Amino acid sequence: MSLSNLIDDWSRYRKGREEGGFHDYEHMWGMSIDLNKCIGCNACSVACYAENNLAVVGKEKFEKGQGMHWLRVERYWDEPDLGEERTSEFQQHGASFLPMMCQQCNAATCEPVCPVAATYHTPDGLNAQVYNRCIGSRYCSNNCPFRLRYFNFWSYYEDSWPAPLQMQLNPDISVRDMGVMEKCTFCVQRIRTVKDTARMEDRKVRDGEVQTACSQTCPTGAIEFGDMLGMYDPETGVAETRVTKMWRKHQVELGKTKQNKQTPEMRGYRVFEFLNTDPCVMYLDRVREV
Amino acid sequence: MSVLQHLPLGRFIEAASRGSRQTKQTVQVSFIVMLLMAAMALFSAKVNAEVPNAVPPEGSYSGIHVEQPIEFPHDTHADINEINCMYCHTYARRSKVAGIPPTSKCMGCHSVIATDKPRIQKLTEYWENKQPPLWNKVHDVPDFVHFTHEKHIKRFVIDNEDLEVENVSEVCAFCHGEVKKMTVADKVKPLTMGFCQRCHQANDGPSDCWHCHK
């Protein structure tokens, strides 16, 4: 069954790519992150920990590379390192931030290598990870060009939430055990809840109805989340979703290895686009006054 | 041909269709097809009588018994008095879980009905102490499974126009067994992935992993 899902997905993706448009998909969840707005406060990362039952691993394990943050805020320095001349441990100017969560690649490199088909693509355009199917081969993590998959080296649930802290765990997502690979899911439990509600009310999912924990928390509203198939509908008058609008405005398109921009000064880009993984997350480049 | 020869009816057919070998075979094949169709008609008629537009899940399970603080008689309520399951398990059509009724719902009737029975007296004791009986969970799926009663009730009860209201418990019985013949509810269906998946395939349910795994 998983294997047939895997095969269906590839044919669905190839069809969408060849015909130019991914309309066989139910939804295509995507993001647009404005780095001009990002202040590097890490609130998104904290929200992700709270929403997705992530364990805090501690300094020692983190140093060994066993960190468990589905969303990490990478820090880069635009100005050169002053070396000996610097006055403090950190540079005073020129920090820029890059929030990195699973890019939900449409041609994901992690998917075809899974020996048990625990990771596959859903008809929502999401890169799924089925925890109870995962055997922990870590092949997917090795194949991810972004290093956005995290492995449970320890049974964190045993001592990460001593009573009564286990009461804070989110019941809509499982608490993963040792030996399981995990990653950002675009808060699939929220998507599922909204889709269930919409189906019960016999309507379509509205724009802005699904919010991921990170986009909800972001104090500057840098993260936009929504359905990228939400085009303008002249019949019903439903406007296109904000994410679609952002992608269109910045002339970034799905299914392309290199964007053919009419106006190259538009800031939109996707990370490692040349690798042809076709990510669903678009970043808007940071602009600085010099 | 040889199989049919052992049956009296088969011999009759053979006798009736003496002629070329081909004719005999045709008659036998059509006879088998007719038998199959009759069986199918019988089977589907039996299913449709209770729950139309649905194929119940298949699977057997030896069953487990869970002790409860009060031996609640489901048979008295659902079978003898014909109370709808969703009168007490009212969240089934509204949320993920079916819900256990609050003690106040029990007392709504039992402050006047059957107050002399020992089980009702025990219930009244709980009510007067302002303590709910701590019911034990019987039907539990693993942590990694997302199951909503709401969607299943919508598919099999609310959107199922041919279903008669008194047969709602037959829909519940798909996964919970004949609860209305039990006192305390026992787990009598396997509730395994295969059990769910067979039903999803038969009733065109989703087969996407992330629909049910979380």
Side-chain angles (χ1 to χ4, degrees):
Chain A
M1 189 171 46
S2 288
L3 207 61
S4 65
N5 280 340
L6 204 78
I7 294 162
D8 284 352
D9 164 59
W10 275 102
S11 50
R12 200 190 299 126
Y13 176 68
R14 279 195 57 180
K15 192 177 168 223
R17 201 172 159 139
E18 281 158 15
E19 294 174 4
F22 296 91
H23 299 292
D24 281 2
Y25 285 81
E26 223 175 295
H27 298 278
M28 177 74 82
W29 302 109
M31 260 190 194
S32 134
I33 302 176
D34 193 343
L35 299 181
N36 258 355
K37 289 182 185 168
C38 180
I39 52 171
C41 66
N42 273 295
C44 44
S45 191
V46 173
C48 185
Y49 269 80
E51 172 72 24
N52 292 305
N53 299 342
L54 280 163
V56 178
V57 301
K59 211 172 181 179
E60 286 158 23
K61 285 175 187 161
F62 195 92
E63 279 175 353
K64 290 180 192 163
Q66 297 173 0
M68 297 287 291
H69 42 202
W70 288 3
L71 195 164
R72 60 170 188 250
V73 180
E74 293 181 356
R75 187 187 57 195
Y76 298 101
W77 300 100
D78 289 351
E79 290 182 6
D81 192 354
L82 298 174
E84 292 291 312
E85 292 170 33
R86 69 180 177 194
T87 50
S88 77
E89 192 185 345
F90 301 104
Q91 281 174 246
Q92 298 297 313
H93 303 287
S96 64
F97 306 98
L98 183 69
M100 288 290 283
M101 70 287 286
C102 176
Q103 305 286 304
Q104 312 286 353
C105 312
N106 281 314
T109 46
C110 52
E111 284 168 11
V113 296
C114 182
V116 291
T119 178
Y120 74 102
H121 230 69
T122 67
D124 278 11
L126 289 176
N127 179 228
Q129 174 74 21
V130 184
Y131 303 122
N132 54 315
R133 199 173 175 91
C134 176
I135 55 164
S137 72
R138 290 190 274 158
Y139 206 166
C140 54
S141 175
N142 284 333
N143 236 29
C144 175
F146 310 99
R147 287 290 171 274
L148 287 164
R149 286 177 160 265
Y150 302 95
F151 188 66
N152 270 285
F153 284 92
W154 310 92
S155 280
Y156 296 106
Y157 73 91
E158 285 168 1
D159 50 2
S160 284
W161 297 282
L165 288 183
Q166 89 282 1
M167 304 293 274
Q168 72 167 6
L169 292 172
N170 185 353
D172 291 339
I173 184 164
S174 51
V175 180
R176 284 80 54 190
D177 201 355
M178 179 165 62
V180 168
M181 188 58 77
E182 56 186 60
K183 64 173 221 15
C184 163
T185 59
F186 269 2
C187 289
V188 69
Q189 65 277 16
R190 292 179 175 215
I191 296 174
R192 197 184 281 134
T193 311
V194 168
K195 274 171 71 181
D196 282 2
T197 317
R199 205 182 142 193
M200 288 304 287
E201 293 171 6
D202 285 324
R203 59 173 174 83
K204 285 184 177 177
V205 177
R206 297 191 196 104
D207 183 29
E209 205 175 3
V210 192
Q211 272 191 315
T212 57
C214 50
S215 73
Q216 189 182 16
T217 313
C218 184
T220 58
I223 304 175
E224 291 269 10
F225 178 80
D227 186 359
M228 289 199 293
L229 297 184
M231 301 295 178
Y232 170 66
D233 190 348
E235 282 178 21
T236 54
V238 176
E240 65 180 345
T241 57
R242 277 176 297 175
V243 171
T244 320
K245 198 175 174 184
M246 288 297 261
W247 279 60
R248 190 171 53 77
K249 190 177 157 196
H250 288 273
Q251 296 164 12
V252 179
E253 278 177 52
L254 281 176
K256 291 211 173 157
T257 315
K258 196 172 184 304
Q259 300 298 337
N260 183 22
K261 287 198 180 192
Q262 302 297 317
T263 44
E265 64 273 15
M266 295 312 281
R267 299 178 292 137
Y269 72 95
R270 296 188 291 174
V271 178
F272 293 164
E273 204 164 38
F274 54 90
L275 290 180
N276 197 17
T277 59
D278 204 3
C280 280
V281 182
M282 177 185 73
Y283 290 90
L284 303 183
D285 205 357
R286 178 162 187 159
V287 182
R288 237 181 238 288
E289 282 186 50
V290 186
Chain B
M1 188 195 281
S2 57
V3 177
L4 279 179
Q5 273 171 350
H6 297 292
L7 301 166
L9 202 62
R11 253 182 249 137
F12 168 74
I13 291 169
E14 212 174 353
S17 61
R18 285 200 199 285
S20 73
R21 192 184 165 84
Q22 212 167 6
T23 328
K24 265 191 267 176
Q25 272 184 344
T26 322
V27 169
Q28 278 174 5
V29 165
S30 60
F31 176 67
I32 289 166
V33 167
M34 269 168 65
L35 260 180
L36 272 173
M37 278 169 71
M40 275 167 72
L42 259 176
F43 178 70
S44 55
K46 194 185 161 222
V47 170
N48 284 342
E50 284 158 353
V51 185
N53 314 321
V55 184
E58 289 167 24
S60 59
Y61 185 68
S62 55
I64 49 167
H65 180 71
V66 180
E67 290 294 330
Q68 301 290 356
I70 299 173
E71 199 196 356
F72 179 82
H74 278 97
D75 49 358
T76 314
H77 292 82
D79 195 25
I80 298 170
N81 291 310
E82 295 179 354
I83 301 172
N84 194 303
C85 303
M86 282 191 281
Y87 178 74
C88 299
H89 299 289
T90 175
Y91 310 114
R93 63 184 180 278
R94 300 191 177 102
S95 79
K96 275 170 78 172
V97 290
I100 302 259
T103 318
S104 57
K105 184 160 256 176
C106 306
M107 294 309 289
C109 296
H110 283 297
S111 53
V112 286
I113 297 173
T115 44
D116 55 329
K117 303 275 177 68
R119 288 189 288 222
I120 305 301
Q121 280 162 358
K122 202 175 172 187
L123 176 78
T124 317
E125 203 176 300
Y126 276 108
W127 174 247
E128 280 164 2
N129 294 339
K130 297 189 189 303
Q131 293 288 325
L134 296 176
W135 304 106
N136 293 314
K137 195 158 187 178
V138 180
H139 294 91
D140 202 2
V141 286
D143 189 29
F144 48 75
V145 178
H146 164 86
F147 175 85
T148 51
H149 277 89
E150 192 186 17
K151 277 165 102 175
H152 289 87
I153 295 288
K154 186 175 162 69
R155 161 68 180 81
F156 291 115
V157 177
I158 296 169
D159 289 352
N160 202 350
E161 285 169 4
D162 304 336
L163 182 79
E164 286 165 31
V165 172
E166 54 266 29
N167 285 335
V168 165
S169 65
E170 300 298 330
V171 175
C172 306
F174 282 3
C175 306
H176 294 286
E178 285 283 297
V179 176
K180 68 178 184 184
K181 301 286 177 200
M182 304 174 194
T183 50
V184 173
D186 289 344
K187 185 180 168 186
V188 292
K189 297 282 178 170
L191 304 187
T192 54
M193 184 171 145
F195 178 76
C196 297
Q197 188 56 32
R198 277 194 294 278
C199 188
H200 273 226
Q201 277 175 350
N203 294 303
D204 291 332
S207 71
D208 182 39
C209 309
W210 249 9
H211 255 96
C212 311
H213 287 301
K214 57 180 188 180

